[in-house]
Each structure stands twice: as structure tokens, then as C-alpha cells.
């Protein structure tokens, strides 16, 4: 690969309350990356409106995700915390990428297919085009790495396909303009750790998400201690005791999920959790997990509330983030326009 500045972009969409999957699969993993990369963390509100959002909820949700980044320990001075719709370069590059991506590629996106089911007709065009905008979020900063949960893997493959096709389609033009052989990097996903796919507490085969049918399926970051304990107590399990080795969790999706959540919260390998709890039943494990979850999430929720009490401070962080994001994105978009042949 050509020499690109190591840079991270990742985003979360404000389309419902933040949950444990967002926290363990994304937010918490962003924090240590600040030591090794220049990072941009976005609240991707333009993605949220691919399905209907109540305007007041959208606004509150946007501020809440920014609050979560800040509460988790993202440094908005050394790095960037921004809101997608405040940086119009995302939308402009998104359109250009909609003309690079092929209908066939987009039609294979499993998240889209799962979401619309057999009923594509009544969904928005934006929902179908969504992964092209996601590629623009990343490539408008020429980000080299994107930390995400497992569910975003296919979208990142598409991002690489779009970058590769752009580099290939305009190879002669890049040469002519002296812009090297690869204009966009082939971005690498960072999907690592025990909780890259946190599952529903009521069904170990379904992903934990904001749209699960039972409210007991999903732990929200702003849940209080009682709600967290109740949801873990009522989580689906099986009658067997926990195994002492990880392979004993195969074919036990609910047990595997709870052990992985414990491992992620405790920042320990799954093997270490099983060395401690192997042979014990859920009667012993669940209260330990509930205590650990409350202990870990309560300070985060408290810090988020403190930020939410000063919305002006969050808005100031986002305004500064938008300005610094544009300083990176604008020259990239100008180059893209020149490469394509737009008159400036
Ligand atoms: P979103 O908003 O659905 O989720 C935000 C992040 O949380 C992760 N995540 C999970 N991780 C583990 N277990 C789960 N159950 C779980 N649920 C969600 C997601 O993988 C994600 O990292 N398309 C993206 C937003 C986006 C984006 C981007 C991400 C837009 N542009 C550019 C990265 C780079 C999305 O809908 O994530």
C-alpha cells in the first residue's frame, strides 16, 4: 500500500439508545487506539435518518453519543469528536461513491436484506445507499483503520471495493495529475476482542440491538443498577454448569454470550473467566456478572449524565470537531473533484 498517515475513523448512529453492544464492541475499544492513531469519532446522524427519526430524539441521541465518547475518555483536543451532518464533504463524496458502487455489490449487503426482508418497496432509497455513504465517511479522511463490531465487516469490505475501483478507474488520471497510484487506502477493519458480537440476553442467536422485541434483551448504557441486575437475572441460559474450557461453550450460545460479556467487562480472556467459574452454575455466575456490569457501567453513565447536563459544552466540542474534520476532508474532496473532471 502507498504511504498513508495511520488514521482511524469510526461512527455510531443516533437511532436509539446506546447499548452494551455499542459499548463493548465499539466505544470502549476506541479509547486505547488514541495512543497509536490520529482518531476521528463521528456521530453519524445522516445514517440515522435512513429510517424515520423523531427530530427531538435525533438531537438528543446525537448529543448522547458525543457524551458517551467523552465520558469513555476520548480526548477531543488531541483527537476529533464530530457530527457527520456538520461536515458536508461526507454527503458530497457519498454521492460520488454511489456512482462508483455497483447495484450488485449493494444488493448483497446482508444488513440491508435483513432489515427490509421481503418488503423493500416501502423503505428509503437512503437505506439501500447507506454503505456508500459509510465508505465516504471513512475515505473522506483517507482513514487507514476502522474499529467496529463484527456486524460491520461486510460494509468495510465494500469500502475497500469502492476504494479499489476508484483507484483503478482513475489510474491514468492519477498518473497525469501526479497523485500516485493509490489515491484511497484499502482500509483495514479492526475487529478484535471477546465482545465483537454481543448477543441478545433472550436469544443467543440474535445480535443485541435497539430493535429487539423484549426490553429484557438489551442492556442500555443509561440503565440503572436495578435494571441491569434484573436483565442479567432474567437472561436466558441452559441448565448445565459452566465449562472449564472455551470449547465447552460451543453449541451453548447463551452461556457463551454471558461469559464473553463478563470477559469483556473484566478485560480478561474467556479462558481466565472459565478458570474462575468453570463447574459453577448460573446461580453463582449471574450475580457476579451483574455486580461487574453495574460496577463498570455506573461510572460511565454518571459521566455521560454530567456531560448531558451541559449540552452547550457538547455542542462546542462538535463545532470544533466539524471545523477540524473539514480541514482534513476538504482537500481530499477537492482532489477527488479534480480527478473526476469537475470544473472548479
Ligand atoms: P451502529 O450505530 O449500528 O453501531 C455502532 C457500533 O457498535 C457496534 N455494535 C456492536 N458490537 C458488538 N455487539 C453488538 N451487538 C453490536 N451492535 C452494534 C457496531 O459494529 C458499530 O461499530 N454503519 C454503522 C455506523 C457507521 C460507521 C461509519 C462505522 C457509519 N459510518 C464509518 C464505522 C465507520 C452502524 O450502523 O453502526
Amino acid at each position: 500500500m502507498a504511504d498513508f498517515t495511520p488514521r482511524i475513523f469510526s461512527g455510531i448512529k443516533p437511532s436509539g439508545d446506546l447499548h452494551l453492544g455499542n459499548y463493548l464492541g465499539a466505544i470502549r475499544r476506541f479509547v486505547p487506539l488514541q495512543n497509536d492513531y490520529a482518531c476521528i469519532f463521528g456521530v453519524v446522524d445522516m445514517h440515522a435518518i435512513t429510517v424515520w427519526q423523531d427530530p427531538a430524539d435525533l438531537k438528543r441521541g446525537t448529543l448522547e453519543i458525543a457524551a458517551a465518547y467523552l465520558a469513555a475518555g476520548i480526548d477531543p483536543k488531541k483527537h476529533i469528536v464530530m457530527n457527520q451532518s456538520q461536515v458536508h464533504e461526507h454527503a458530497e463524496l457519498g454521492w460520488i461513491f454511489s456512482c462508483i458502487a455497483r447495484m450488485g455489490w449493494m444488493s448483497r449487503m446482508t444488513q440491508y436484506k435483513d432489515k427490509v426482508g421481503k418488503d423493500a418497496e416501502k423503505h428509503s432509497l437512503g437505506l439501500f445507499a447507506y454503505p456508500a455513504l459509510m465508505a465516504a465517511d471513512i475515505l473522506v479522511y483517507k482513514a487507514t483503520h476502522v474499529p467496529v463490531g463484527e456486524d460491520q465487516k461486510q460494509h468495510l469490505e465494500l469500502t475497500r471495493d469502492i476504494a479499489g475501483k476508484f483507484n483503478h478507474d482513475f489510474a491514468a488520471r492519477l498518473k497525469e495529475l501526479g497523485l500516485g497510484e493509490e489515491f484511497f487506502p484499502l482500509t483495514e477493519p479492526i475487529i478484535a476482542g471477546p465482545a465483537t458480537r454481543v448477543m441478545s440476553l433472550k436469544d443467543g442467536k440474535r445480535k443485541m440491538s435497539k430493535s429487539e422485541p423484549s426490553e429484557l434483551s438489551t442492556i442500555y448504557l443509561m440503565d440503572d443498577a436495578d435494571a441491569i441486575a434484573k436483565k442479567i437475572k432474567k437472561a436466558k441460559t441452559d441448565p448445565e454448569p459452566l465449562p472449564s474450557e472455551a470449547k465447552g461453550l460451543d453449541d451453548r450460545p447463551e452461556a457463551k454470550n454471558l461469559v464473553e460479556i463478563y470477559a469483556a467487562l473484566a478485560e480478561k480472556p474467556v479462558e481466565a473467566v472459565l478458570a474462575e467459574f468453570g463447574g459453577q452454575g448460573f446461580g453463582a455466575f449471574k450475580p457476579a456478572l451483574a455486580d461487574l456490569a453495574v460496577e463498570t457501567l455506573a461510572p460511565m453513565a454518571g459521566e455521560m449524565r454530567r456531560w448531558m447536563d451541559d449540552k452547550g459544552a457538547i455542542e462546542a466540542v462538535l463545532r470544533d470537531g466539524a471545523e477540524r474534520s473539514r480541514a482534513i476532508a476538504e482537500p481530499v474532496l477537492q482532489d477527488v473533484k479534480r480527478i473526476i473532471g469537475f470544473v472548479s
Side-chain angles (χ1 to χ4, degrees):
M1 223 207 274
D3 233 1
F4 290 99
T5 311
R7 179 175 287 136
I8 292 234
F9 180 89
S10 198
I12 300 181
K13 60 181 188 306
S15 57
D17 293 336
L18 282 168
H19 56 75
L20 189 65
N22 300 134
Y23 182 59
L24 296 177
I27 300 170
R28 198 178 196 194
R29 293 177 38 236
F30 295 167
V31 181
L33 294 168
Q34 295 179 101
N35 300 325
D36 299 320
Y37 298 89
C39 300
I40 303 170
F41 296 112
V43 186
V44 286
D45 52 352
M46 284 155 56
H47 283 273
I49 61 161
T50 54
V51 297
W52 166 254
Q53 300 298 328
D54 174 83
D57 289 346
L58 180 65
K59 220 168 168 178
R60 188 195 49 80
T62 298
L63 296 176
E64 195 172 285
I65 292 173
Y69 287 148
L70 298 165
I74 304 296
D75 182 342
K77 295 221 157 56
K78 285 204 188 114
H79 300 275
I80 295 178
V81 173
M82 55 82 69
N83 180 25
Q84 183 189 31
S85 64
Q86 293 178 9
V87 180
H88 62 79
E89 285 80 2
H90 288 242
E92 280 190 65
L93 188 61
W95 173 256
I96 293 167
F97 283 173
S98 287
C99 302
I100 300 278
R102 305 291 91 183
M103 288 293 284
W105 301 357
M106 305 297 282
S107 309
R108 284 190 282 278
M109 293 295 115
T110 53
Q111 263 205 356
Y112 170 77
K113 289 197 284 187
D114 291 348
K115 217 164 200 167
V116 304
K118 289 194 177 67
D119 204 9
E121 297 270 314
K122 70 172 174 30
H123 286 85
S124 72
L125 177 58
L127 188 66
F128 184 72
Y130 177 124
L133 179 60
M134 178 163 164
D137 299 337
I138 297 165
L139 294 173
V140 83
Y141 304 108
K142 296 191 176 179
T144 54
H145 295 82
V146 178
V148 277
E150 177 77 38
D151 62 339
Q152 297 299 317
K153 197 168 171 210
Q154 197 189 27
H155 291 157
L156 291 177
E157 282 159 13
L158 182 95
T159 301
R160 292 165 66 94
D161 288 342
I162 290 176
K165 184 163 163 56
F166 184 95
N167 291 342
H168 174 267
D169 288 356
F170 293 103
R173 185 73 178 144
L174 288 174
K175 206 165 176 189
E176 188 185 323
L177 295 172
L179 287 170
E181 282 184 10
E182 282 179 317
F183 182 76
F184 285 122
L186 300 185
T187 307
E188 300 279 348
I190 304 181
I191 303 173
T196 53
R197 193 171 178 81
V198 177
M199 308 308 277
S200 153
L201 298 182
K202 285 292 176 195
D203 180 349
K205 294 196 180 68
R206 289 169 64 89
K207 189 179 69 169
M208 182 179 282
S209 78
K210 344 180 182 194
S211 48
E212 278 301 286
S214 160
E215 59 161 38
L216 294 172
S217 313
T218 304
I219 293 177
Y220 292 100
L221 281 193
M222 296 303 248
D223 277 349
D224 61 24
D226 287 350
I228 295 175
K230 179 173 159 204
K231 287 177 183 179
I232 291 176
K233 189 165 170 222
K234 295 194 176 248
K236 186 176 170 200
T237 46
D238 57 40
E240 302 297 317
L242 285 170
S244 351
E245 283 176 37
K247 66 175 176 338
L249 291 171
D250 293 349
D251 307 320
R252 296 179 63 186
E254 284 84 16
K256 184 166 189 266
N257 187 38
L258 294 184
V259 170
E260 286 183 351
I261 291 174
Y262 191 103
L265 288 169
E267 298 187 80
K268 282 183 185 167
V270 162
E271 288 71 18
V273 179
L274 293 177
E276 195 179 335
F277 289 99
Q280 299 190 42
F282 287 98
F285 182 67
K286 278 182 170 179
L289 175 59
D291 285 349
L292 176 63
V294 168
E295 207 176 282
T296 318
L297 298 180
M300 170 76 188
E303 194 58 23
M304 276 172 73
R305 275 190 205 101
R306 269 191 290 284
W307 276 102
M308 288 301 277
D309 285 342
D310 188 358
K311 297 198 174 58
I314 305 177
E315 283 164 4
V317 166
L318 293 178
R319 269 195 307 275
D320 173 62
E323 208 173 292
R324 287 160 55 219
S325 297
R326 267 202 306 274
I328 305 169
E330 209 213 320
V332 175
L333 189 67
Q334 287 309 331
D335 277 346
V336 168
K337 288 179 171 176
R338 226 154 39 102
I339 293 164
I340 292 179
F342 288 173
V343 174
S344 60

